[in-house]
Amino acid sequence: MIISRRQALQATAAGIGSSALPTAIQAAAPSARITTLLGRMTLAEKVGQLTLMNAAFRLPNEVGANTGLPVAQAEEQREIEAGRLGGVFNGFGVGWARALQEAALRSRLAIPLILGADVIHGLNTVFPVPLAEAAAFDPGLAQRTARAAAVEASAVGLAWTFAPMVDIGRDQRWGRVVEGAGEDVFLGERLAEARVRGFQGSDLSALDSVLACAKHFAAYGAAEGGRDYDSGNVSASLLREVYLPPFRAAIRAGCLSLMSAFNEVDGVPCTGNRWLMTDLLRDQWGFEGFVVSDWNADIEMVAHGYSPGPRAAAKDAFLAGTDMSMRSNLYRDHLAALVEAGSVSVADIDRSVLRILALKEALGLFEDPFNRIDPEREARFAKPAEHAELALEAARKSIVLLRNDDDLLPFDPTGKTVALIGPFAETADYNGSWTLFAGEGPSLAETWRKRLPETTRLVTSEGATVDATDEARIENAVTAARTADIIVMILGESSKMSGEAGSRADIVLPIAQQKLLAAVQATGKPVVVLLQAGRALALTDALAKAPTLVLTWFLGTRGPDAIIDILTGVASPSGRLPVSFPRAAGQQPFYYARKPTGRPAHDAAAVAFNTGYVDVGNKPLFSFGHGLTYGRIAYDRPALSGNRLGARDQVQASVRVTNEGAREAVETVQVYVTRPAGLVTKPRLELRGFKPVTLAPGASAEIAFDLTADEVAGVETARGRIIVPGQAKVWLGGSAETAVSVDLDVAV
Ligand code: GLC
């Protein structure tokens, strides 16, 4: 299936026929029921609908997340019964959900709660972290895993997920790059659309659909230094061209809630940024859903030095267009007084309340507040077999084969001694960040022991923890390595080293593990390195030169099985990098779609008086889009169906690929463009499409992409999208670094 921006838009538009900003699900206009209900609500009850609190109330056998709960269970129930709480999040279980909805129905107007959680990459079944799944370059897969997550989330009483996270992540020091789709805008847009469709389905009232929430609006990933929550100085054109498009794609796909980001944009914190939350989101984009603040993001405007105090922060956030306040209780404590003081109008309050009530109605909660609270469904989806198969498929497709220099992979362990060495050999840490409710599954060693051929001997040695080792541990590992025919090392980050508040200044493999790797490699035995990470790392020394290198990210519930399948050839690697791997941490932020500048960087080592460093070259260690297969893929020169493209035309770019290897391969062919000069500076090249093709040994295939003038030369400007005429290039290949270009004249 060809994935290009135009087809994605057409697919979306076809689904709804709207001309403005097409959304797959239109927020229902307030029904008579809701407008009548609004007319009966007191101001305090209206403000209650704008207040969201994390789960304090839970039955003894239920679990909740976000520890450090602000209120006791009894107090939270009182808030709900008094109509002062419209939603609760990060609780779990139908027992918890039923208790809260029953409390809501005891309130004067019996308005049901909306129950949400951070279901980012699965719930009971944990799928690969979103950055890993992005490596599959497969929006259909992303939609399916989001759908499965929605089924499991709705089976434990949840109707809302705080996902997809659609922040573009170009600085790998930022811990939250793990939650998104990586560095590229086009891939980010396609996965945003897919995940929204997966979570919401085609009918929000269906009991296995949950409301999606695109986050964090906006430019959270631009944090300076990759420091979480820090400011990012983003130009207007960078906002329009990089950080906003995935949100627009999510909204076009029907996403009906957005979460404000902690950071500021152009000197104004997002939560209080009226240009962002109203002028752009509502007036220009026509967004019809509601905006929830991130955790305490409204009160944090005081710490930002933007709002002089809590009451001002409540006013700033609400008047900017943030409809619902998460966890700070700022709206509960100040909105009524602001109305009485004439700073906030009842009409503004009503507008936000209607948005939230309309979505509660769209979710079917007024028809039946217990529609997602069914013990049988909860039991049914506690560990569904069909999701286990999907989790295995997703894990396999997320694995990226970075190097296989000696064709060591795949290997047959039959009759061999395999040494499995590293901190994650016997210790399971595969779920990754934002796995709120599921525990870890079996370790790689435990999983492999169940699958090994009789004649295989598996020896394991930790050799180092994530960040510590000693001579004895290393000696033990080397001894184990010496007895082996092949060594598999599983090294990398722990899941705590990425995710929220997981920024790292030096994105290298912890030194202890580097020592372990060097000692094991010194044995001269064949070594396969499995690298577990929630980001692109700066691979240095022995790791940078490892001849057999497999990126395993955090693959979730079926991670160990998928790793074994790829190592032994039960499945073949097809993943591609959604983030560039730099040569040094100091290169961050590092991404392929860089601007050429007036002194373009030379690909070779540093060249004086050109963009780059004196100590590190400009090329990545592994490029965006890179990923090997077990085949040997050769590309012919690309061709165009014409070398001139008019405004209403399209051009077909094609290339023949051949598998010259001895094993079947799935190659992901990518198409990039260099847009014509004019209006604003643009990146050297940018992804515009990708297509997987399965090639048997010796087989060839012609892969073609249809591109419009907008895809080749469109620029987002303050005046809307403009097609810039002039000389363009179309690139085709297996990565941003290896793609080959053909010239194209855009004449509009
Ligand atoms: C966190 C995160 C956000 C999450 C929210 C609720 O701080 O920034 O992504 O959805 O709080 O847990």
Side-chain angles (χ1 to χ4, degrees):
M1 171 180 65
I2 288 182
I3 301 279
S4 72
R5 180 194 180 101
R6 180 168 50 81
Q7 269 110 344
L9 281 185
Q10 278 174 340
T12 307
I16 42 90
S18 143
S19 59
L21 188 75
T23 55
I25 295 180
Q26 296 277 11
S31 66
R33 164 176 36 204
I34 298 216
T35 41
T36 306
L37 174 59
L38 182 74
R40 298 173 53 210
M41 294 171 76
T42 65
L43 180 57
E45 287 164 335
K46 291 176 183 176
V47 170
Q49 288 303 306
L50 310 183
T51 300
L52 176 69
M53 182 52 72
N54 60 309
F57 177 83
R58 54 182 185 277
L59 301 173
N61 64 330
E62 303 298 354
V63 293
N66 294 137
T67 50
L69 301 175
V71 290
Q73 305 175 16
E75 182 186 341
E76 190 159 78
Q77 274 215 14
R78 276 198 301 279
E79 289 290 288
I80 295 168
E81 289 164 354
R84 285 198 296 267
L85 204 44
V88 181
F89 68 97
N90 284 355
F92 173 97
V94 293
W96 163 79
R98 175 166 290 280
L100 263 61
Q101 284 296 18
E102 284 171 348
L105 298 187
R106 292 194 295 270
S107 67
R108 187 176 77 89
L109 293 172
I111 298 174
L113 292 167
I114 184 167
L115 301 176
D118 290 284
V119 183
I120 310 297
H121 54 109
L123 188 109
N124 298 315
T125 306
V126 180
F127 297 106
V129 292
L131 184 62
E133 189 182 73
F137 274 63
D138 186 343
L141 173 71
Q143 184 164 335
R144 286 186 289 131
T145 59
R147 177 92 304 248
V151 167
E152 294 188 10
S154 62
V156 295
L158 300 170
W160 186 22
T161 179
F162 302 144
M165 187 273 213
V166 302
D167 301 305
I168 294 295
R170 294 182 157 181
D171 191 321
Q172 304 303 308
R173 293 171 293 184
W174 188 48
R176 302 198 76 166
V177 71
V178 70
E179 296 173 54
E183 69 184 62
D184 183 71
V185 178
F186 179 85
L187 183 60
E189 289 176 314
R190 301 295 79 77
L191 293 178
E193 292 159 353
R195 287 169 173 154
V196 166
R197 291 195 186 109
F199 287 128
Q200 296 192 164
S202 54
D203 172 6
L204 267 188
S205 67
L207 59 82
D208 58 2
S209 289
V210 296
L211 174 65
C213 182
K215 68 184 186 181
H216 306 78
F217 194 55
Y220 185 16
E224 268 185 352
R227 289 180 299 274
D228 207 355
Y229 317 114
D230 208 332
S231 306
N233 292 314
V234 185
S235 66
S237 75
L238 206 58
L239 258 181
R240 278 194 295 270
E241 290 255 288
V242 174
Y243 293 103
L244 292 176
F247 286 95
R248 200 158 189 199
I251 293 168
R252 280 193 177 107
C255 187
L256 285 166
S257 74
L258 247 59
M259 184 184 293
S260 70
F262 290 119
N263 54 288
E264 63 163 66
V265 165
D266 201 10
V268 181
C270 291
T271 306
N273 193 313
R274 183 171 177 83
W275 170 79
L276 195 62
M277 297 296 179
T278 296
D279 300 351
L280 178 77
L281 183 61
R282 304 277 179 193
D283 300 347
Q284 289 181 40
W285 290 4
F287 178 63
E288 298 171 323
F290 70 88
V291 175
V292 60
S293 76
D294 200 340
W295 178 291
N296 284 349
D298 47 9
I299 187 74
E300 288 179 6
M301 290 201 286
V302 178
H304 267 287
Y306 179 74
S307 305
R311 175 156 301 182
K315 177 168 144 263
D316 292 337
F318 186 73
L319 292 183
T322 298
D323 299 297
M324 184 184 254
S325 166
M326 179 192 288
R327 195 185 177 274
S328 68
N329 276 330
L330 210 57
Y331 286 8
R332 182 197 67 178
D333 297 346
H334 298 285
L335 269 189
L338 286 164
V339 169
E340 269 127 45
S343 306
V344 168
S345 72
V346 174
D348 285 341
I349 297 280
D350 289 355
R351 174 210 60 204
S352 293
V353 173
L354 283 175
R355 285 172 181 154
I356 290 162
L357 295 180
L359 277 161
K360 288 185 174 181
E361 186 171 53
L363 286 162
L365 293 171
F366 281 101
E367 302 308 323
D368 177 5
F370 303 99
N371 65 359
R372 294 175 177 82
I373 300 176
D374 172 354
E376 259 126 65
R377 276 193 81 236
E378 183 180 54
R380 156 105 175 74
F381 290 104
K383 277 284 176 229
E386 69 268 30
H387 294 169
E389 283 317 298
L390 177 59
L392 177 61
E393 177 192 352
R396 285 171 169 176
K397 289 181 174 178
S398 302
I399 290 172
V400 184
L401 178 57
L402 295 174
R403 268 209 203 103
N404 193 20
D405 292 356
D406 311 323
D407 286 333
L408 195 53
L409 294 178
F411 71 85
D412 178 356
T414 308
K416 294 195 180 74
T417 296
V418 179
L420 183 58
I421 296 172
F424 307 110
E426 296 278 7
T427 304
D429 184 12
Y430 312 116
N431 283 348
S433 72
W434 282 117
T435 305
L436 285 187
F437 306 108
E440 286 287 347
S443 71
L444 181 57
E446 193 183 339
T447 306
W448 214 347
R449 285 190 187 99
K450 291 184 187 135
R451 297 183 44 174
L452 281 171
E454 286 288 306
T455 56
T456 302
R457 179 171 160 263
L458 180 71
V459 295
T460 66
S461 174
E462 185 184 53
T465 61
V466 171
D467 50 14
T469 190
D470 55 39
E471 287 315 310
R473 281 183 186 171
I474 289 183
E475 192 44 44
N476 182 287
V478 168
T479 304
R482 286 206 178 101
T483 67
D485 300 302
I486 185 166
I487 298 148
V488 176
M489 299 193 77
I490 180 161
L491 308 169
E493 295 183 321
S494 73
S495 52
K496 292 178 180 47
M497 294 165 73
S498 58
E500 184 172 358
S503 293
R504 295 178 65 202
D506 197 2
I507 53 174
V508 294
L509 180 71
I511 301 300
Q513 294 183 60
Q514 291 189 39
K515 282 183 186 162
L516 173 64
L517 173 60
V520 169
Q521 281 182 329
T523 64
K525 297 268 185 170
V527 177
V528 176
V529 178
L530 304 177
L531 185 62
Q532 174 172 293
R535 53 165 56 86
L537 294 174
L539 309 187
T540 53
D541 304 321
L543 189 54
K545 299 191 275 293
T548 313
L549 186 56
V550 186
L551 179 59
T552 62
W553 308 105
F554 291 99
L555 294 169
T557 305
R558 301 302 305 275
D561 277 312
I563 290 170
I564 296 163
D565 290 347
I566 295 292
L567 292 181
T568 59
V570 169
S572 290
S574 56
R576 316 299 283 212
L577 288 180
V579 282
S580 309
F581 269 61
R583 291 181 179 280
Q587 287 176 295
Q588 293 304 312
F590 188 97
Y591 48 96
Y592 85 89
R594 306 195 63 74
K595 300 290 186 74
T597 79
R599 297 190 178 196
H602 281 248
D603 281 348
V607 173
F609 303 105
N610 278 78
T611 306
Y613 302 98
V614 294
D615 56 351
V616 177
N618 290 306
K619 291 174 72 151
L621 185 62
F622 296 110
S623 160
F624 174 86
H626 169 74
L628 298 179
T629 69
Y630 284 154
R632 195 169 301 286
I633 308 300
Y635 281 78
D636 291 358
R637 281 201 61 75
L640 295 179
S641 56
N643 55 17
R644 190 173 180 285
L645 178 61
R648 302 199 182 296
D649 301 343
Q650 66 181 26
V651 67
Q652 185 167 86
S654 61
V655 66
R656 172 160 290 279
V657 287
T658 302
N659 179 2
E660 297 172 346
R663 298 180 70 90
E664 183 176 274
V666 177
E667 174 70 3
T668 298
V669 179
Q670 300 146 49
V671 61
Y672 298 81
V673 298
T674 303
R675 290 182 281 171
L679 272 188
V680 290
T681 57
K682 300 164 207 75
R684 202 171 65 80
L685 79 168
E686 301 163 281
L687 183 69
R688 284 290 179 272
F690 48 85
K691 176 176 178 180
V693 55
T694 302
L695 293 168
S700 285
E702 185 82 14
I703 309 300
F705 296 87
D706 294 334
L707 296 171
T708 64
D710 176 73
E711 287 166 313
V712 176
V715 177
E716 291 290 348
T717 74
R719 303 188 307 280
R721 201 160 170 80
I722 293 175
I723 294 176
V724 178
Q727 272 305 313
K729 291 179 185 296
V730 178
W731 308 67
L732 285 161
S735 78
E737 187 176 46
T738 57
V740 173
S741 69
V742 189
D743 289 344
L744 174 66
D745 176 25
V746 179
V748 290

